[in-house]
Coordinates of all heavy atoms in Angstrom, one line a residue:
M1 N 102.6 86.3 101.2 CA 101.4 85.8 100.6 C 101.6 85.7 99.1 O 102.4 86.4 98.5 CB 100.2 86.7 100.9 CG 100.1 88.0 100.2 SD 98.7 89.0 100.7 CE 97.3 88.1 100.0
K2 N 100.8 84.9 98.4 CA 100.8 84.8 97.0 C 99.5 85.1 96.4 O 98.5 84.7 97.0 CB 101.3 83.4 96.6 CG 102.7 83.0 96.9 CD 103.0 81.6 96.4 CE 104.3 81.1 97.0 NZ 104.4 79.7 97.0
I3 N 99.5 85.6 95.2 CA 98.2 85.8 94.5 C 98.5 85.3 93.1 O 99.6 85.6 92.5 CB 97.9 87.3 94.4 CG1 97.6 87.8 95.8 CG2 96.6 87.5 93.6 CD1 97.5 89.3 95.9
F4 N 97.6 84.6 92.5 CA 97.7 84.1 91.1 C 96.8 84.9 90.2 O 95.6 85.0 90.5 CB 97.4 82.6 91.1 CG 98.2 81.8 92.0 CD1 97.9 81.5 93.3 CD2 99.5 81.3 91.5 CE1 98.7 80.8 94.1 CE2 100.3 80.6 92.3 CZ 99.9 80.3 93.7
V5 N 97.4 85.5 89.2 CA 96.6 86.3 88.2 C 96.7 85.7 86.8 O 97.8 85.5 86.3 CB 97.1 87.7 88.2 CG1 96.2 88.5 87.2 CG2 97.0 88.4 89.6
Y6 N 95.6 85.3 86.3 CA 95.6 84.7 84.9 C 95.1 85.8 83.9 O 94.2 86.6 84.2 CB 94.6 83.6 84.8 CG 95.1 82.3 85.5 CD1 94.8 82.2 86.8 CD2 95.7 81.3 84.8 CE1 95.3 81.0 87.5 CE2 96.1 80.2 85.4 CZ 95.9 80.0 86.8 OH 96.4 78.9 87.4
D7 N 95.8 85.9 82.8 CA 95.3 86.8 81.8 C 94.2 86.1 80.9 O 94.0 84.9 81.2 CB 96.5 87.3 80.9 CG 97.1 86.2 80.0 OD1 96.5 85.2 79.8 OD2 98.2 86.5 79.5
G8 N 93.7 86.8 80.0 CA 92.6 86.2 79.2 C 93.0 84.9 78.4 O 92.1 84.1 78.1
G9 N 94.3 84.8 78.2 CA 94.8 83.7 77.4 C 95.1 82.5 78.3 O 95.5 81.5 77.7
G10 N 94.9 82.6 79.5 CA 95.2 81.5 80.4 C 96.6 81.4 81.0 O 96.9 80.5 81.8
A11 N 97.4 82.4 80.7 CA 98.8 82.4 81.3 C 98.7 83.0 82.7 O 98.0 83.9 83.0 CB 99.7 83.3 80.5
A12 N 99.4 82.4 83.6 CA 99.4 82.8 85.0 C 100.6 83.5 85.4 O 101.7 83.2 85.0 CB 99.2 81.6 85.9
V13 N 100.4 84.5 86.3 CA 101.5 85.2 86.9 C 101.3 85.2 88.4 O 100.2 85.4 88.9 CB 101.6 86.7 86.4 CG1 102.6 87.5 87.2 CG2 101.8 86.8 84.9
Q14 N 102.4 84.9 89.1 CA 102.3 84.8 90.5 C 102.8 86.1 91.2 O 103.9 86.5 90.9 CB 103.2 83.6 91.0 CG 102.8 83.0 92.3 CD 103.6 81.7 92.6 OE1 104.2 81.6 93.6 NE2 103.7 80.8 91.6
L15 N 102.0 86.7 92.0 CA 102.4 87.9 92.7 C 102.9 87.4 94.1 O 102.0 86.8 94.8 CB 101.3 88.9 92.8 CG 100.5 89.3 91.5 CD1 99.6 90.4 91.8 CD2 101.5 89.6 90.4
I16 N 104.1 87.7 94.5 CA 104.6 87.2 95.8 C 104.8 88.3 96.7 O 105.5 89.3 96.4 CB 105.9 86.4 95.6 CG1 105.6 85.2 94.7 CG2 106.4 85.9 96.9 CD1 106.8 84.4 94.3
E17 N 104.2 88.3 97.9 CA 104.3 89.3 98.9 C 104.1 90.7 98.4 O 104.9 91.6 98.5 CB 105.7 89.2 99.6 CG 106.0 87.9 100.3 CD 105.0 87.6 101.4 OE1 104.4 88.5 101.9 OE2 104.9 86.4 101.8
P18 N 102.9 90.9 97.8 CA 102.7 92.3 97.2 C 102.6 93.2 98.4 O 102.0 92.9 99.5 CB 101.3 92.1 96.5 CG 100.7 90.9 97.2 CD 101.8 90.0 97.5
A19 N 103.2 94.4 98.2 CA 103.2 95.4 99.2 C 102.0 96.3 99.1 O 101.8 97.2 99.9 CB 104.5 96.3 99.2
S20 N 101.2 96.1 98.1 CA 100.1 97.0 97.8 C 98.9 96.7 98.7 O 98.7 95.6 99.2 CB 99.6 96.8 96.3 OG 100.8 96.7 95.5
K21 N 98.1 97.7 98.8 CA 96.9 97.7 99.6 C 95.7 96.9 99.0 O 94.9 96.3 99.6 CB 96.5 99.1 100.0 CG 95.4 99.1 101.1 CD 95.1 100.6 101.5 CE 93.9 100.6 102.4 NZ 93.2 101.9 102.4
T22 N 95.6 97.2 97.7 CA 94.5 96.5 96.9 C 95.0 95.6 95.8 O 96.2 95.7 95.4 CB 93.6 97.6 96.3 OG1 94.3 98.2 95.2 CG2 93.1 98.6 97.3
L23 N 94.1 94.7 95.4 CA 94.5 93.8 94.3 C 94.9 94.5 93.0 O 95.9 94.2 92.4 CB 93.4 92.8 94.0 CG 93.6 91.8 92.9 CD1 94.8 91.0 93.1 CD2 92.3 90.9 92.8
M24 N 94.1 95.6 92.7 CA 94.4 96.3 91.5 C 95.8 96.9 91.5 O 96.6 96.8 90.6 CB 93.4 97.5 91.3 CG 93.6 98.3 90.0 SD 94.9 99.6 90.3 CE 93.9 100.9 91.1
Q25 N 96.2 97.5 92.7 CA 97.5 98.1 92.8 C 98.6 97.0 92.7 O 99.7 97.2 92.1 CB 97.7 98.8 94.2 CG 96.9 100.1 94.2 CD 96.7 100.6 95.6 OE1 96.8 99.9 96.6 NE2 96.6 101.9 95.7
A26 N 98.4 95.8 93.3 CA 99.3 94.7 93.2 C 99.5 94.2 91.8 O 100.6 94.0 91.3 CB 98.8 93.5 94.1
I27 N 98.4 94.2 91.0 CA 98.5 93.8 89.6 C 99.3 94.8 88.8 O 100.2 94.5 88.0 CB 97.1 93.6 89.0 CG1 96.4 92.4 89.6 CG2 97.2 93.5 87.5 CD1 94.9 92.3 89.3
R28 N 99.0 96.1 89.1 CA 99.7 97.2 88.4 C 101.2 97.2 88.8 O 102.1 97.3 88.0 CB 99.0 98.5 88.7 CG 99.6 99.7 88.1 CD 98.8 100.9 88.4 NE 97.8 101.1 87.4 CZ 96.9 102.1 87.4 NH1 96.9 103.0 88.4 NH2 96.0 102.3 86.4
D29 N 101.5 97.1 90.1 CA 102.9 97.1 90.6 C 103.7 95.9 90.0 O 104.9 96.1 89.8 CB 102.9 97.0 92.1 CG 102.4 98.3 92.8 OD1 102.2 99.3 92.0 OD2 102.1 98.3 94.0
A30 N 103.0 94.8 89.7 CA 103.7 93.7 89.1 C 104.0 93.9 87.6 O 104.6 93.1 87.0 CB 102.9 92.4 89.3
G31 N 103.5 95.0 87.0 CA 103.8 95.3 85.7 C 102.8 94.6 84.7 O 103.0 94.6 83.5
L32 N 101.7 94.1 85.2 CA 100.8 93.4 84.3 C 99.9 94.5 83.7 O 99.7 95.6 84.2 CB 99.9 92.5 85.2 CG 100.6 91.3 85.8 CD1 99.7 90.5 86.6 CD2 101.3 90.5 84.8
S33 N 99.3 94.1 82.6 CA 98.5 95.0 81.8 C 97.1 95.1 82.3 O 96.3 94.2 82.1 CB 98.5 94.5 80.3 OG 97.7 95.3 79.5
I34 N 96.9 96.2 83.1 CA 95.5 96.4 83.6 C 95.2 97.9 83.4 O 96.1 98.7 83.7 CB 95.3 96.0 85.0 CG1 93.9 96.1 85.5 CG2 96.3 96.7 86.0 CD1 93.6 95.3 86.8
A35 N 94.1 98.2 82.8 CA 93.8 99.6 82.5 C 93.6 100.4 83.8 O 94.3 101.4 84.0 CB 92.5 99.6 81.6
A36 N 92.6 100.0 84.7 CA 92.4 100.7 85.9 C 92.4 102.2 85.7 O 93.1 103.0 86.4 CB 93.4 100.3 86.9
Q37 N 91.6 102.7 84.8 CA 91.7 104.1 84.4 C 91.3 105.1 85.4 O 91.9 106.2 85.4 CB 90.7 104.3 83.2 CG 91.2 103.6 81.9 CD 90.2 103.6 80.8 OE1 89.0 103.8 81.0 NE2 90.7 103.4 79.6
C38 N 90.5 104.8 86.4 CA 90.2 105.8 87.4 C 91.1 105.7 88.6 O 90.9 106.5 89.6 CB 88.7 105.6 87.8 SG 88.4 104.3 89.0
G39 N 92.1 104.8 88.6 CA 93.1 104.8 89.6 C 92.6 104.2 90.9 O 93.2 104.4 92.0
G40 N 91.5 103.5 90.9 CA 91.0 102.9 92.1 C 89.8 103.5 92.8 O 89.4 103.2 93.9
G41 N 89.1 104.4 92.1 CA 88.0 105.1 92.6 C 86.6 104.4 92.4 O 85.6 105.0 92.7
A42 N 86.6 103.2 91.9 CA 85.4 102.4 91.7 C 84.5 103.2 90.7 O 83.2 103.2 90.9 CB 84.6 102.1 93.0
S43 N 85.1 103.8 89.7 CA 84.2 104.6 88.8 C 84.6 104.4 87.3 O 84.2 105.2 86.5 CB 84.3 106.1 89.1 OG 85.7 106.5 89.0
C44 N 85.3 103.2 87.0 CA 85.6 103.0 85.6 C 85.3 101.5 85.2 O 85.1 101.3 84.0 CB 87.0 103.4 85.3 SG 88.2 102.2 85.9
A45 N 85.4 100.6 86.1 CA 85.2 99.2 85.8 C 86.3 98.6 84.8 O 86.1 97.5 84.3 CB 83.8 98.9 85.2
T46 N 87.4 99.3 84.7 CA 88.4 98.7 83.8 C 89.5 98.0 84.7 O 90.6 97.8 84.2 CB 89.1 99.8 83.0 OG1 89.7 100.8 83.8 CG2 88.1 100.4 82.0
C47 N 89.2 97.6 85.9 CA 90.0 96.8 86.7 C 89.3 95.5 87.0 O 89.6 94.8 88.0 CB 90.4 97.5 88.0 SG 89.0 97.8 89.1
H48 N 88.4 95.2 86.2 CA 87.5 94.0 86.3 C 88.2 92.7 86.3 O 89.0 92.4 85.4 CB 86.5 94.1 85.1 CG 85.4 93.1 85.1 ND1 84.7 92.8 83.9 CD2 85.0 92.2 86.0 CE1 83.9 91.8 84.1 NE2 84.0 91.4 85.4
V49 N 87.9 91.9 87.3 CA 88.5 90.5 87.3 C 87.4 89.5 87.7 O 86.4 89.8 88.2 CB 89.6 90.4 88.4 CG1 90.8 91.3 88.1 CG2 89.1 90.7 89.8
Y50 N 87.7 88.3 87.3 CA 86.8 87.2 87.7 C 87.6 86.4 88.9 O 88.7 86.0 88.7 CB 86.6 86.2 86.6 CG 86.0 86.8 85.4 CD1 86.6 86.6 84.1 CD2 84.8 87.5 85.4 CE1 86.0 87.2 83.0 CE2 84.2 88.0 84.3 CZ 84.8 87.9 83.1 OH 84.2 88.4 81.9
V51 N 86.9 86.3 90.0 CA 87.5 85.6 91.1 C 87.2 84.2 91.1 O 86.0 83.7 90.9 CB 86.9 86.3 92.5 CG1 87.4 85.5 93.7 CG2 87.2 87.7 92.5
D52 N 88.2 83.4 91.3 CA 88.1 81.9 91.3 C 87.0 81.5 92.3 O 86.9 82.1 93.4 CB 89.4 81.3 91.7 CG 89.4 79.8 91.5 OD1 89.7 79.3 90.4 OD2 89.2 79.1 92.5
D53 N 86.2 80.5 91.9 CA 85.1 80.1 92.8 C 85.5 79.8 94.2 O 84.7 80.1 95.2 CB 84.4 78.9 92.2 CG 83.5 79.3 91.0 OD1 83.3 80.5 90.8 OD2 83.1 78.4 90.2
A54 N 86.6 79.2 94.4 CA 87.1 78.9 95.7 C 87.3 80.1 96.7 O 87.4 79.9 97.9 CB 88.4 78.0 95.6
W55 N 87.4 81.2 96.0 CA 87.7 82.5 96.8 C 86.6 83.4 96.9 O 86.7 84.4 97.7 CB 88.9 83.2 96.1 CG 90.2 82.4 96.4 CD1 90.8 81.4 95.6 CD2 91.0 82.4 97.6 NE1 91.9 80.9 96.1 CE2 92.0 81.5 97.4 CE3 90.9 83.1 98.7 CZ2 93.0 81.3 98.3 CZ3 91.9 82.9 99.7 CH2 92.9 82.0 99.5
R56 N 85.6 83.2 96.2 CA 84.5 84.2 96.2 C 83.9 84.5 97.5 O 83.7 85.6 97.9 CB 83.4 83.8 95.2 CG 83.8 84.0 93.7 CD 82.8 83.4 92.8 NE 81.5 83.9 93.0 CZ 80.4 83.4 92.4 NH1 80.5 82.3 91.6 NH2 79.2 83.9 92.7
A57 N 83.6 83.4 98.3 CA 83.0 83.6 99.6 C 83.9 84.2 100.6 O 83.5 84.6 101.7 CB 82.5 82.3 100.1
K58 N 85.2 84.2 100.3 CA 86.2 84.7 101.3 C 86.4 86.2 101.2 O 87.0 86.9 102.0 CB 87.5 84.0 101.2 CG 87.4 82.5 101.5 CD 88.7 81.8 101.2 CE 88.4 80.3 101.5 NZ 89.4 79.4 101.0
L59 N 85.8 86.8 100.2 CA 85.9 88.3 100.0 C 84.7 89.0 100.6 O 83.6 88.5 100.6 CB 86.0 88.6 98.5 CG 87.1 88.0 97.7 CD1 87.0 88.4 96.2 CD2 88.5 88.4 98.3
R60 N 85.0 90.2 101.0 CA 83.9 91.1 101.5 C 83.0 91.2 100.3 O 83.5 91.5 99.2 CB 84.4 92.4 101.9 CG 83.4 93.4 102.3 CD 84.1 94.8 102.6 NE 84.9 95.3 101.5 CZ 84.4 95.8 100.4 NH1 83.1 95.9 100.1 NH2 85.2 96.2 99.4
P61 N 81.7 91.1 100.4 CA 80.8 91.3 99.3 C 80.9 92.7 98.7 O 81.2 93.6 99.4 CB 79.4 91.1 99.9 CG 79.6 90.4 101.2 CD 80.9 90.8 101.7
A62 N 80.6 92.7 97.4 CA 80.6 94.0 96.7 C 79.6 94.9 97.3 O 78.4 94.5 97.6 CB 80.4 93.8 95.2
D63 N 79.9 96.2 97.5 CA 78.9 97.1 98.0 C 78.1 97.7 96.8 O 78.3 97.3 95.7 CB 79.6 98.3 98.8 CG 80.5 99.1 98.1 OD1 80.5 99.1 96.8 OD2 81.3 99.8 98.7
D64 N 77.1 98.5 97.1 CA 76.2 99.0 96.1 C 77.0 99.8 95.0 O 76.7 99.7 93.8 CB 75.1 99.9 96.7 CG 74.2 99.2 97.5 OD1 74.2 97.9 97.4 OD2 73.4 99.8 98.3
T65 N 78.0 100.5 95.4 CA 78.8 101.3 94.3 C 79.5 100.4 93.4 O 79.5 100.5 92.2 CB 79.8 102.2 95.1 OG1 79.0 103.1 95.9 CG2 80.6 103.0 94.1
E66 N 80.2 99.4 94.0 CA 80.9 98.4 93.2 C 80.0 97.7 92.3 O 80.2 97.5 91.1 CB 81.7 97.5 94.0 CG 82.5 96.5 93.2 CD 83.3 95.5 94.0 OE1 83.4 95.6 95.3 OE2 83.9 94.6 93.4
S67 N 78.9 97.2 92.8 CA 77.9 96.4 92.1 C 77.3 97.2 90.9 O 77.2 96.7 89.8 CB 76.8 95.9 93.0 OG 76.0 95.0 92.3
A68 N 77.0 98.5 91.2 CA 76.5 99.3 90.1 C 77.5 99.6 89.0 O 77.2 99.5 87.8 CB 76.1 100.7 90.7
M69 N 78.8 99.7 89.4 CA 79.8 99.9 88.4 C 80.0 98.7 87.6 O 80.3 98.7 86.3 CB 81.1 100.4 89.0 CG 82.2 100.9 88.1 SD 81.6 102.1 86.8 CE 80.9 103.3 87.9
L70 N 79.9 97.5 88.2 CA 80.1 96.2 87.5 C 79.1 96.1 86.4 O 79.3 95.3 85.4 CB 80.1 95.1 88.4 CG 81.4 94.8 89.2 CD1 81.2 93.9 90.4 CD2 82.5 94.3 88.3
D71 N 77.9 96.8 86.5 CA 76.9 96.7 85.5 C 77.4 97.3 84.2 O 76.9 97.0 83.1 CB 75.6 97.5 85.9 CG 74.8 96.7 86.9 OD1 75.0 95.5 87.0 OD2 74.0 97.3 87.6
F72 N 78.4 98.1 84.2 CA 79.0 98.7 83.0 C 80.2 97.9 82.5 O 80.8 98.2 81.5 CB 79.5 100.2 83.3 CG 78.4 101.1 83.6 CD1 78.1 101.4 84.9 CD2 77.7 101.7 82.6 CE1 77.0 102.3 85.2 CE2 76.6 102.5 82.8 CZ 76.3 102.9 84.1
A73 N 80.6 96.9 83.3 CA 81.8 96.1 82.9 C 81.4 95.2 81.7 O 80.3 94.7 81.6 CB 82.3 95.2 84.0
E74 N 82.4 94.9 80.9 CA 82.2 94.0 79.7 C 82.2 92.6 80.3 O 83.0 92.2 81.1 CB 83.4 94.2 78.8 CG 83.3 93.4 77.5 CD 84.5 93.7 76.6 OE1 85.2 94.8 76.8 OE2 84.8 92.9 75.8
A75 N 81.2 91.8 79.8 CA 81.1 90.4 80.2 C 81.1 90.1 81.7 O 81.8 89.3 82.2 CB 82.3 89.6 79.5
R76 N 80.1 90.8 82.4 CA 80.0 90.6 83.8 C 79.5 89.1 84.1 O 78.7 88.6 83.4 CB 79.0 91.6 84.4 CG 78.9 91.4 85.9 CD 77.9 92.4 86.5 NE 77.9 92.2 88.0 CZ 77.3 93.0 88.8 NH1 76.5 94.0 88.4 NH2 77.3 92.8 90.1
R77 N 80.1 88.6 85.1 CA 79.7 87.2 85.6 C 79.4 87.3 87.1 O 79.7 88.3 87.7 CB 80.8 86.2 85.4 CG 81.3 86.0 83.9 CD 82.4 85.0 83.9 NE 83.0 84.9 82.6 CZ 84.2 84.3 82.3 NH1 84.9 83.8 83.3 NH2 84.7 84.3 81.1
E78 N 78.9 86.1 87.6 CA 78.7 86.0 89.0 C 80.0 86.3 89.8 O 79.9 86.8 90.9 CB 78.2 84.6 89.4 CG 76.8 84.3 88.9 CD 75.7 84.7 89.9 OE1 76.0 84.4 91.1 OE2 74.7 85.2 89.5
S79 N 81.1 85.9 89.2 CA 82.4 86.0 89.9 C 83.1 87.3 89.7 O 84.2 87.5 90.1 CB 83.3 84.9 89.5 OG 83.5 85.0 88.1
S80 N 82.4 88.3 89.0 CA 83.0 89.6 88.7 C 83.2 90.4 90.0 O 82.3 90.5 90.8 CB 82.1 90.3 87.7 OG 82.1 89.7 86.5
R81 N 84.4 91.0 90.0 CA 84.7 92.0 91.0 C 85.6 93.1 90.4 O 86.3 92.9 89.4 CB 85.4 91.4 92.2 CG 84.6 90.4 93.0 CD 83.4 91.0 93.7 NE 83.7 92.1 94.6 CZ 83.9 92.0 95.9 NH1 83.8 90.8 96.5 NH2 84.2 93.0 96.7
L82 N 85.5 94.3 91.1 CA 86.5 95.3 90.7 C 87.8 95.1 91.6 O 87.7 95.1 92.8 CB 85.9 96.7 91.0 CG 84.7 97.1 90.3 CD1 84.3 98.5 90.7 CD2 85.0 97.1 88.8
S83 N 88.9 94.9 91.0 CA 90.1 94.5 91.7 C 90.5 95.7 92.6 O 91.2 95.5 93.6 CB 91.2 94.1 90.8 OG 91.6 95.1 89.9
C84 N 90.1 96.9 92.3 CA 90.5 98.0 93.2 C 89.7 98.1 94.5 O 90.1 98.8 95.4 CB 90.3 99.4 92.4 SG 88.6 99.9 92.1
Q85 N 88.7 97.3 94.6 CA 87.9 97.2 95.8 C 88.2 96.0 96.6 O 87.5 95.8 97.7 CB 86.4 97.3 95.4 CG 86.0 98.5 94.6 CD 86.3 99.8 95.3 OE1 85.8 100.0 96.5 NE2 87.2 100.6 94.8
I86 N 89.2 95.2 96.2 CA 89.6 94.0 97.0 C 90.8 94.4 97.8 O 91.9 94.6 97.3 CB 89.8 92.8 96.1 CG1 88.6 92.4 95.4 CG2 90.4 91.7 96.9 CD1 88.7 91.3 94.3
E87 N 90.6 94.5 99.1 CA 91.8 94.9 100.0 C 92.5 93.6 100.3 O 91.9 92.6 100.7 CB 91.3 95.6 101.2 CG 90.7 96.9 100.9 CD 90.5 97.8 102.1 OE1 91.0 97.5 103.2 OE2 89.9 98.9 101.9
L88 N 93.8 93.7 100.2 CA 94.6 92.5 100.4 C 94.9 92.3 101.9 O 95.1 93.2 102.6 CB 96.0 92.6 99.6 CG 95.8 92.7 98.1 CD1 97.2 92.8 97.4 CD2 95.1 91.4 97.6
S89 N 94.9 91.0 102.3 CA 95.3 90.7 103.7 C 95.8 89.2 103.7 O 95.6 88.5 102.7 CB 94.0 90.8 104.6 OG 93.1 89.8 104.2
E90 N 96.4 88.8 104.8 CA 97.0 87.5 104.8 C 95.9 86.4 104.6 O 96.2 85.3 104.1 CB 97.7 87.3 106.2 CG 99.0 88.0 106.3 CD 100.0 87.6 105.2 OE1 100.1 86.4 104.8 OE2 100.7 88.4 104.7
E91 N 94.7 86.7 105.0 CA 93.6 85.7 104.8 C 93.4 85.4 103.3 O 92.8 84.4 103.0 CB 92.3 86.2 105.4 CG 92.3 86.3 106.9 CD 93.0 87.6 107.4 OE1 92.8 88.7 106.9 OE2 93.9 87.4 108.3
L92 N 93.9 86.2 102.4 CA 93.7 86.0 101.0 C 94.9 85.4 100.3 O 95.1 85.4 99.1 CB 93.4 87.3 100.3 CG 92.1 88.0 100.8 CD1 91.8 89.3 100.0 CD2 90.9 87.0 100.6
D93 N 95.8 84.8 101.1 CA 97.0 84.1 100.6 C 96.5 83.0 99.7 O 95.8 82.1 100.1 CB 97.8 83.5 101.8 CG 99.1 82.9 101.3 OD1 99.5 83.1 100.1 OD2 99.7 82.1 102.1
G94 N 96.9 83.0 98.4 CA 96.5 82.1 97.4 C 95.3 82.5 96.5 O 94.9 81.8 95.6
L95 N 94.8 83.7 96.8 CA 93.8 84.3 96.0 C 94.1 84.1 94.5 O 95.2 84.4 94.0 CB 93.6 85.8 96.3 CG 92.6 86.6 95.4 CD1 91.2 86.1 95.7 CD2 92.7 88.1 95.7
T96 N 93.1 83.7 93.7 CA 93.3 83.4 92.3 C 92.2 84.2 91.5 O 91.0 84.0 91.8 CB 93.2 81.9 92.0 OG1 94.1 81.2 92.8 CG2 93.4 81.6 90.5
V97 N 92.6 85.0 90.5 CA 91.7 85.8 89.7 C 92.1 85.7 88.3 O 93.3 85.4 87.9 CB 91.6 87.2 90.2 CG1 91.2 87.3 91.6 CG2 93.0 87.9 89.9
T98 N 91.2 86.0 87.4 CA 91.5 86.2 85.9 C 91.1 87.6 85.5 O 90.0 88.0 85.8 CB 90.7 85.1 85.1 OG1 91.1 83.8 85.6 CG2 90.9 85.2 83.6
L99 N 92.0 88.2 84.7 CA 91.7 89.5 84.2 C 90.5 89.4 83.2 O 90.5 88.5 82.3 CB 92.9 90.1 83.5 CG 94.1 90.4 84.3 CD1 95.2 90.9 83.5 CD2 93.7 91.5 85.4
A100 N 89.5 90.2 83.3 CA 88.3 90.1 82.5 C 88.6 90.9 81.2 O 89.5 91.8 81.2 CB 87.1 90.7 83.2
P101 N 87.8 90.6 80.1 CA 87.9 91.5 78.9 C 87.7 92.9 79.3 O 86.8 93.2 80.1 CB 86.8 90.9 78.0 CG 86.5 89.6 78.6 CD 86.8 89.6 80.0
G102 N 88.4 93.8 78.7 CA 88.3 95.2 79.0 C 89.1 95.7 80.1 O 89.3 96.9 80.3
A103 N 89.7 94.8 80.9 CA 90.6 95.2 82.0 C 92.0 95.4 81.5 O 92.7 96.3 81.8 CB 90.6 94.2 83.1
A104 N 92.4 94.4 80.6 CA 93.7 94.5 80.1 C 93.7 95.5 78.9 O 92.7 95.7 78.3 CB 94.2 93.2 79.6
F105 N 94.9 96.2 78.6 CA 94.9 97.1 77.5 C 96.1 96.7 76.6 O 96.9 95.9 77.0 CB 95.0 98.5 78.0 CG 96.3 98.8 78.8 CD1 97.4 99.2 78.1 CD2 96.3 98.7 80.2 CE1 98.6 99.5 78.9 CE2 97.4 99.0 80.9 CZ 98.6 99.4 80.3
Ligands
FES201 S1 90.3 101.2 88.9 FE1 88.5 102.1 88.2 S2 86.9 100.9 89.0 FE2 88.8 100.0 89.7

């Protein structure tokens, strides 16, 4: 599977066959700059990404915990998600996201 990750400047990195369980881990394993300060516990909002519109409906909706934490994220949008809460599966082949301000360090 492939995942496309854009940084805030519009540069894209392609993650190919990530072995990670979550999107945050895949981004981190690829060596990209993502803060993810709480390590995936949905308690910091520094793994914030914007999900491409074509993919938003294919993701499990954010639960109450994720949604509440996103209220603390910088520049929240309709497409905002915590990448540590997105579990990767073959159905997400082609997933496209952009790192949000405050996620990169
Ligand atoms: S890594 Fe902290 S909320 Fe995702």
Side-chain angles (χ1 to χ4, degrees):
M1 77 181 290
K2 292 180 190 160
I3 299 170
F4 300 91
V5 180
Y6 288 84
D7 67 18
V13 173
Q14 205 175 126
L15 313 185
I16 299 173
E17 300 299 340
S20 316
K21 188 175 172 203
T22 69
L23 177 59
M24 180 278 280
Q25 289 169 332
I27 292 170
R28 181 176 268 179
D29 290 348
L32 298 178
S33 176
I34 186 166
Q37 291 171 338
C38 78
S43 60
C44 74
T46 60
C47 65
H48 179 197
V49 295
Y50 301 126
V51 177
D52 188 85
D53 285 345
W55 288 95
R56 287 173 53 194
K58 296 176 183 165
L59 300 180
R60 175 189 53 78
D63 63 18
D64 290 346
T65 300
E66 181 180 354
S67 187
M69 189 49 55
L70 281 166
D71 286 341
F72 293 98
E74 186 178 338
R76 182 178 185 176
R77 299 179 187 166
E78 290 271 320
S79 61
S80 290
R81 294 297 303 265
L82 298 179
S83 60
C84 69
Q85 301 302 300
I86 297 176
E87 293 195 10
L88 298 179
S89 65
E90 285 302 321
E91 293 76 49
L92 298 181
D93 186 15
L95 176 66
T96 303
V97 302
T98 299
L99 295 176
F105 62 88

